[in-house]
Amino acid sequence: MDYELTLTKTLNRAVEKFAHKTITTKLEDGSYHTYTYEDAYERICRLAHALDDYGLERGDRVSVMARNHYRHYELYYGPSCSGRSIHMTNHRLPESHLIEIINEAEDRLLFVDPAFVETIESIASDLQTVEKYVILDDSVPEVDLQPVTDYESFIEGYSTEYAWPDLDEETECGICYTSGTTGLPKGAAYSHRGLFLLSMNYGAKDSFGVCESDVILPVVPMFHVNGWCIPYSGTFYGSGFVLPGKHTGLEAIEEMIREHDVTVAAAVPTIWTDMANYIDENPEADISTLDRILTGGSSPPPAIMQRFETEFDAPIIQGYGMTEASPHLVNTLVTEEVKELPKETQYELRTKAGIPIPGAEIRLRDDNGESVPHDGETPGEIEARSPWVIGEYYNRPEATEESFTDDGWFKTGDIGTIDEYGYLDVVDRVDDIIKSGGEWISSVELENELVAHEAVTEATVVSVSHERWQERPVAYVTTTGDVDEADLRQHLLEEFPKWWLPDQFIFSEEIPRTSTGKYDKKTLRTEFVDTHGELPLEED
């Protein structure tokens, strides 16, 4: 049948079949706001009417700068299901980047949490297309924004029913910008079809197994690539939600899991490493309702993966993807073949990105565009394609030409290997892999091994220009114990040849990060040169 795959069908299914299921938000003061899918639907209808009445046309965009809460959830559906698009705006971006992307997206309305009003006030005079500001609250604080209203007043008085338009499944429903670590952010526009299919995929047992009986806690910010598509996929299957708002500390996460019977929680690996330590220090902590954990962005240590599975009965499922992929491409499926291997080997494999999910394809290419062998050793650039990978960057033809192959694959900019079991291992970024004397050194492998040291809490490795070897690695680390450079060198020598080892170790109380929480290697490279100059030539 000619059946359009749209988010409207996702929303309607949740309301028609699971109207009683709840969406709970931890509010600013620590109390909880709870309502049902039916309640949310009525407010989403009111929001759609308000957008109509304002004069928002089909295809127009609204910017949303908000934490994870029920009003933000409503904005995931009101604009998109009525034929508009939500620009998920990252408040952590530099002001110059915010101005660039809001103007480029031509956002007409800007919905903003009170906590981020100051950021918007500082750039409002440079926003060329924003016509009105809507504060995501029930009143307007004292602000220097005009015209402005609050969210509850914006949707007040409108009908709780709405005749949703018949949309082409290729209609844009959202846009998200890359973090801009290698230049200005680039826009990735998502279609209804892409997010519908990715949401469906999340329910596969060999993917994340999202289902109706789940209660999902997305700690990952909703502005970060559709909140990993969890607000769409959870709604698709009728799952319950617990939204943390500003409360993303370990104590609050444990409380929400315990008090609201959370079965699935999603957050970056450092949260789960810290949570394991938190439980050790707080024996009364209880995360026993967790059935599984979703994580991405970097690999969790094997010991942490093993502990959560064996001690807490909550296996960690790692995913790999990116903004351009909406974001998911690969996850750590434990195949029947791998289950026959020793447990230690299994957990080592599970720190790799894993196997492409159904509907996604991955291949590796060398500098000449040729395939590389799947031997777990030979690196190549990861290229991908799927129905939810974008076909081009918004309004950036030059970036599109650089990032897509002639036969239609997306060049991720990541370097990886594929082993005999078909597992993808992401070993570096094209821009971060270190070429020393004509040989490759993986900064990611060095980082993972450094973090495996019991006294190291954070580590990142950057390339620094070298007169003799072209590039050499330098490590930045934060530690909790009595450890020095000699200790770390000896630790790394157990796994790597001497020439892989960083030329310098810089101990820091805090390692700078980008707006999306990744280590800011670009800043570190500049900082190193400004502070230390060139690396000295070592004796042979």
Side-chain angles (χ1 to χ4, degrees):
M1 295 179 182
D2 187 11
Y3 184 88
E4 300 292 332
L5 307 181
T6 64
L7 296 176
T8 311
K9 293 182 172 67
T10 297
L11 179 63
N12 284 337
R13 181 178 189 270
V15 176
E16 291 171 4
K17 306 302 180 186
F18 310 109
H20 62 287
K21 300 296 287 293
T22 58
I23 300 169
T24 295
T25 298
K26 192 172 179 65
L27 301 175
E28 291 283 311
D29 63 2
S31 63
Y32 288 98
H33 170 280
T34 298
Y35 69 173
T36 64
Y37 273 126
E38 183 175 17
D39 298 327
Y41 180 80
E42 291 180 351
R43 288 170 56 84
I44 291 167
C45 289
R46 291 166 58 190
L47 172 59
H49 281 296
L51 297 177
D52 289 346
D53 199 36
Y54 178 77
L56 219 62
E57 303 292 336
R58 292 278 187 92
D60 283 345
R61 298 189 181 101
V62 301
S63 172
V64 180
M65 189 182 290
R67 294 190 173 107
N68 297 11
H69 51 67
Y70 67 99
R71 293 185 178 106
H72 196 169
Y73 175 86
E74 293 162 12
L75 282 156
Y76 260 56
Y77 287 96
S80 59
C81 292
S82 60
R84 290 96 178 191
S85 178
I86 173 178
H87 173 192
M88 305 152 198
T89 309
N90 182 354
H91 66 89
R92 298 171 181 165
L93 288 173
E95 289 185 359
S96 60
H97 287 187
L98 286 172
I99 293 167
E100 174 76 19
I101 66 177
I102 292 172
N103 286 338
E104 181 176 272
E106 299 183 271
D107 301 326
R108 291 184 58 190
L109 295 175
L110 197 156
F111 294 81
V112 58
D113 272 354
F116 309 134
V117 163
E118 187 175 336
T119 297
I120 296 302
E121 286 178 325
S122 66
I123 64 174
S125 61
D126 294 310
L127 300 181
Q128 300 166 5
T129 63
V130 174
E131 302 165 358
K132 189 169 187 174
Y133 301 91
V134 183
I135 310 299
L136 291 168
D137 206 342
D138 54 11
S139 63
V140 177
E142 188 173 330
V143 296
D144 293 327
L145 298 173
Q146 289 295 332
V148 63
T149 188
D150 63 89
Y151 184 81
E152 297 305 319
S153 297
F154 186 71
I155 68 172
E156 185 179 8
Y158 291 104
S159 172
T160 56
E161 297 180 356
Y162 190 87
W164 302 107
D166 294 325
L167 300 174
D168 186 305
E169 62 183 16
E170 297 294 350
T171 300
E172 179 188 315
C173 60
I175 188 169
C176 193
Y177 278 76
T178 62
S179 59
T181 54
T182 57
L184 285 175
K186 299 184 289 289
Y190 308 127
S191 70
H192 281 257
R193 179 176 185 267
L195 295 188
F196 185 100
L197 290 172
L198 182 56
S199 296
M200 180 182 288
N201 186 289
Y202 273 37
K205 185 177 181 181
D206 287 346
S207 182
F208 293 143
V210 174
C211 62
E212 180 271 339
S213 62
D214 279 327
V215 177
I216 307 175
L217 170 61
V219 180
V220 57
M222 287 169 65
F223 65 74
H224 187 49
V225 204
N226 308 312
W228 292 355
C229 203
I230 290 169
Y232 291 127
S233 58
T235 303
F236 191 105
Y237 287 100
S239 308
F241 283 105
V242 178
L243 304 177
K246 72 173 185 179
H247 305 281
T248 55
L250 297 174
E251 182 178 356
I253 292 172
E254 185 274 335
E255 176 198 288
M256 287 181 280
I257 292 171
R258 171 171 40 83
E259 293 190 359
H260 299 278
D261 297 328
V262 170
T263 61
V264 180
V268 295
T270 52
I271 293 290
W272 305 116
T273 301
D274 293 344
M275 180 61 76
N277 296 329
Y278 177 82
I279 291 172
D280 289 338
E281 297 167 1
N282 299 272
E284 72 283 359
D286 182 4
I287 60 169
S288 60
T289 62
L290 276 183
D291 178 71
R292 58 207 182 282
I293 288 166
L294 313 184
T295 195
S298 61
S299 298
I304 292 297
M305 297 187 79
Q306 185 167 2
R307 184 178 181 192
F308 271 91
E309 182 164 15
T310 59
E311 184 176 335
F312 306 132
D313 197 24
I316 295 176
I317 304 173
Q318 180 188 183
Y320 163 73
M322 61 212 64
T323 303
E324 293 88 345
S326 309
H328 193 47
L329 291 169
V330 173
N331 65 257
T332 47
L333 167 66
V334 182
T335 64
E336 290 300 308
E337 182 181 18
V338 170
K339 289 177 182 176
E340 299 297 322
L341 301 174
K343 280 291 184 182
E344 182 178 345
T345 304
Q346 288 186 40
Y347 283 111
E348 289 177 358
L349 285 171
R350 287 169 64 178
T351 63
K352 297 184 177 183
I355 290 176
I357 59 177
E361 297 180 76
I362 295 293
R363 70 184 188 187
L364 302 182
R365 292 293 184 266
D366 63 18
D367 290 342
N368 298 317
E370 301 295 327
S371 299
V372 303
H374 292 182
D375 56 10
E377 299 290 338
T378 308
E381 182 173 5
I382 303 167
E383 296 178 355
R385 66 178 180 181
S386 86
W388 47 85
V389 171
I390 64 169
E392 62 182 2
Y393 287 111
Y394 176 68
N395 206 28
R396 301 289 178 86
E398 292 181 1
T400 297
E401 185 175 356
E402 293 173 356
S403 300
F404 291 83
T405 65
D406 292 339
D407 58 346
W409 290 66
F410 174 66
K411 299 161 68 174
T412 67
D414 288 327
I415 299 295
T417 62
I418 296 178
D419 63 24
E420 60 185 299
Y421 304 105
Y423 278 48
L424 172 72
D425 189 17
V426 183
V427 299
D428 226 322
R429 290 287 298 170
V430 169
D431 296 329
D432 293 335
I433 198 164
I434 301 160
K435 195 168 188 178
S436 180
E439 300 291 341
W440 295 109
I441 298 173
S442 169
S443 65
V444 171
E445 291 185 54
L446 287 172
E447 290 163 358
N448 289 340
E449 192 59 33
L450 283 169
V451 172
H453 191 288
E454 60 183 5
V456 176
T457 55
E458 291 185 306
T460 191
V461 176
V462 301
S463 63
V464 176
S465 296
H466 192 278
E467 182 178 342
R468 180 177 182 183
W469 300 115
Q470 186 179 354
E471 292 179 336
R472 289 296 298 158
V474 168
Y476 285 77
V477 296
T478 62
T479 64
T480 58
D482 184 16
V483 61
D484 59 19
E485 182 172 321
D487 296 327
L488 296 182
R489 286 188 178 280
Q490 186 58 43
H491 175 72
L492 292 177
L493 276 173
E494 296 175 7
E495 293 292 330
F496 305 114
K498 184 178 179 181
W499 66 271
W500 265 52
L501 270 57
D503 283 21
Q504 289 192 27
F505 291 79
I506 297 174
F507 294 81
S508 174
E509 292 184 2
E510 185 177 9
I511 301 174
R513 293 176 180 266
T514 69
S515 60
T516 54
K518 298 177 182 178
Y519 294 120
D520 193 343
K521 295 191 176 186
K522 183 179 179 182
T523 295
L524 289 172
R525 291 189 195 100
T526 302
E527 177 186 288
F528 182 88
V529 172
D530 290 345
T531 305
H532 303 279
E534 292 185 356
L535 286 167
L537 291 173
E538 71 281 7
E539 297 293 332
D540 289 331

